[in-house]
């Protein structure tokens, strides 16, 4: 691969790593009741691009990481009802695993607040994040919920590619 292609691929990889780290940070906030400043400082100082417990973390875009984590925390009161509405009846968001909640909240945040990123890219990225933690059923649920949210919020992106 030539240097131009490596340089072009790097920002996307750094964003993917930021998404994964954001989900982990949100999980930590949910479970350990850590504060936003504490979690961001810990991840930036000790996790992003570093080795932790024998696992090498990929270098992540720190600005993108902060945007997702801060945005989810700031907008959670708006995001949670939207996610709940997109879930299967009888499965409230509070009943879902904390990591899966973090995946859904992060994806919902990006769909709502990052129009610069295509909805399909967001959905695919968070399905991949879900696969890092869960089986195909959970990844399928993430796909279904985020697709529902995306079609509601960004219908124009989907209308352009729908068969007539």
């Amino acid at each position: 691969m030539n240097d131009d292609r490596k340089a072009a691929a790097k920002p996307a990889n750094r964003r993917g790593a930021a998404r994964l780290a954001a989900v982990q940070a949100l999980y930590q906030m949910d479970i350990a009741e850590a504060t936003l400043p504490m979690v961001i400082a810990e991840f930036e100082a000790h996790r992003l691009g570093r080795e932790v417990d024998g696992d090498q973390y990929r270098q992540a875009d720190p600005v993108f990481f902060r945007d997702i984590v801060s945005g989810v925390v700031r907008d959670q009161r708006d995001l949670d009802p939207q996610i709940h509405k997109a879930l299967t009846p009888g499965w409230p968001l509070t009943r879902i695993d904390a990591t899966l909640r973090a995946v859904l909240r992060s994806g919902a945040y990006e769909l709502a607040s990052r129009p610069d990123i295509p909805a399909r890219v967001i959905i695919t990225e968070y399905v991949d994040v879900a696969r890092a933690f869960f089986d195909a059923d959970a990844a399928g649920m993430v796909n279904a919920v985020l697709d529902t949210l995306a079609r509601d919020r960004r219908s124009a992106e989907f209308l352009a590619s729908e068969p007539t």
Side-chain angles (χ1 to χ4, degrees):
M1 182 183 291
N2 68 33
D3 289 337
D4 292 338
R5 293 182 85 192
K6 283 181 187 176
K10 193 171 184 179
N13 290 338
R14 290 172 56 98
R15 279 192 169 185
R19 287 180 175 104
L20 181 63
V23 166
Q24 293 171 318
L26 291 164
Y27 169 83
Q28 185 171 326
M29 289 179 69
D30 195 13
I31 297 302
E33 298 181 9
T35 67
L36 178 63
M38 287 171 43
V39 168
I40 287 177
E42 176 190 338
F43 271 74
E44 289 182 349
H46 303 292
R47 294 186 186 221
L48 301 182
R50 300 206 171 42
E51 185 177 326
V52 178
D53 297 330
D55 293 326
Q56 180 64 44
Y57 282 62
R58 289 189 312 175
Q59 188 59 37
D61 178 336
V63 174
F64 194 65
F65 165 77
R66 281 190 303 272
D67 177 57
I68 296 168
V69 177
S70 300
V72 168
V73 170
R74 182 191 64 236
D75 298 345
Q76 188 172 330
R77 289 179 193 232
D78 295 327
L79 298 172
D80 283 2
Q82 294 168 22
I83 296 167
H84 176 77
K85 184 179 173 188
L87 289 167
T88 301
W91 280 91
L93 186 58
T94 55
R95 188 174 174 187
I96 292 180
D97 174 87
T99 305
L100 204 48
R101 279 195 309 267
V103 172
L104 293 171
R105 286 172 174 155
S106 297
Y109 165 73
E110 280 197 57
L111 287 168
S113 301
R114 296 300 307 247
D116 57 311
I117 304 170
R120 285 186 172 91
V121 169
I122 294 168
I123 294 166
T124 299
E125 288 287 319
Y126 283 104
V127 167
D128 288 346
V129 170
R131 285 188 181 125
F133 297 104
F134 301 101
D135 62 16
D137 290 342
M141 188 269 284
V142 168
N143 184 62
V145 169
L146 294 181
D147 185 71
T148 298
L149 293 174
R151 289 176 185 275
D152 183 49
R153 276 202 175 265
R154 298 180 176 200
S155 59
E157 286 184 51
F158 292 88
L159 294 175
S161 64
E162 296 287 324
T164 55

